[in-house]
Amino acid sequence: MSEKARESSASARAQIMAGIRRSHLRGPLDSAARAAIDARLARHPRGLQPGRTDLDQAGLMRLFEVQATEAAATVHHVAHWGDVAAEVAGYLSSLNLPATVKVAPDPDLDAAGWQDTTLTVERGRGEETDAVGVTGCFAAIAETGTLMMLSGPGRPTTLNFLPDTHIAIVARDRIVAGYEDGWDRMRAAGAVPRSVNFITGPSRTGDIEQKLQMGAHGPRRLHIIVVDTPSPS
């Protein structure tokens, strides 16, 4: 974006915000108001969290697995990142699914051991023709069995939704208690991504004759592989 375009965008935004303040009978922001806003953003109150998430890491792992399973996902554990590819191959074989996978260009997944399997592996963004997508996962929310997926060069959002089968890889130490903890981890990581997606179980709908249909708006299967060792990167 050119300097002139940035100035125009900032001016338009300022006009919109000024109009909103006038509609609430509030004048321009002074230095005290700005300081109060900055303080609120820096020290915002956390939402209430259920007592069942007050657990150690082992307890959070068990809670995450229970919640994810109740949401129709499957969960499997491996000891090391080099065991990931073998688990992917075994899972696909057990369901008689194609041994061809589209893998996110995530550096963490380079150490998965793809060369030790007979899988056909392609790296890149998801396409409508992809049957199986394999991605990393930024964080996992124990409270609801939810995956927190951040977009980025190594994490194409299309792989979360286009393939019929989604296999997500998450390090055990990235399982956190609640959503607030996931946001805290994201802020600590630095730049805010273009999009954040929360995924709880495979896609489903009950709109068709009130019968549960899997895969209506995304993957019909979600398989989560928890790696007991931290991410390589």
Side-chain angles (χ1 to χ4, degrees):
M1 181 183 292
S2 67
E3 185 64 29
K4 184 176 181 180
R6 279 194 293 268
E7 291 177 357
S8 176
S9 176
S11 175
R13 184 165 55 247
Q15 291 178 25
I16 292 171
M17 299 307 294
I20 294 173
R21 291 186 63 80
R22 285 195 300 271
S23 70
H24 288 274
L25 304 180
R26 300 176 67 179
L29 285 174
D30 56 23
S31 58
R34 290 184 181 277
I37 291 171
D38 291 340
R40 168 77 177 186
L41 292 174
R43 296 184 297 275
H44 58 87
R46 293 173 66 85
L48 294 175
Q49 289 187 258
R52 63 191 175 91
T53 63
D54 186 16
L55 302 166
D56 60 14
Q57 192 63 34
L60 291 177
M61 176 63 252
R62 290 190 294 271
L63 178 60
F64 172 76
E65 185 167 358
V66 168
Q67 295 297 105
T69 301
E70 288 185 355
T74 53
V75 183
H76 188 85
H77 298 257
V78 297
H80 306 287
W81 284 84
D83 302 326
V84 166
E87 166 55 24
V88 171
Y91 170 75
L92 297 178
S93 177
S94 70
L95 296 177
N96 198 30
L97 294 172
T100 299
V101 296
K102 177 67 72 66
V103 179
D106 184 339
D108 284 352
L109 300 181
D110 293 344
W114 306 110
Q115 69 282 358
D116 299 324
T117 71
T118 58
L119 292 170
T120 300
V121 178
E122 182 182 352
R123 305 297 287 266
R125 67 188 300 276
E127 306 288 348
E128 292 183 3
T129 54
D130 294 327
V132 181
V134 181
T135 71
C137 176
F138 177 75
I141 313 300
E143 179 183 349
T144 54
T146 298
L147 303 178
M148 182 178 186
M149 315 292 287
L150 309 189
S151 64
R155 303 178 298 272
T157 299
T158 49
L159 270 180
N160 300 337
F161 303 113
L162 290 181
D164 208 37
T165 299
H166 180 196
I167 302 176
I169 321 300
V170 60
R172 182 171 179 165
D173 64 354
R174 288 180 174 268
I175 298 175
V176 298
Y179 290 85
E180 293 84 357
D181 302 292
W183 289 115
D184 286 345
R185 180 182 279 269
M186 188 199 76
R187 293 186 186 100
V192 176
R194 187 179 183 90
S195 67
V196 179
N197 291 288
F198 290 98
I199 299 173
T200 307
S203 173
R204 73 197 74 190
T205 183
D207 294 342
I208 304 171
E209 297 182 353
Q210 296 185 352
K211 294 181 179 179
L212 187 63
Q213 302 288 329
M214 307 301 285
H217 309 293
R220 70 177 62 245
R221 304 176 195 87
L222 174 61
H223 185 56
I224 304 167
I225 302 175
V226 179
V227 186
D228 289 338
T229 52
S231 301
S233 63

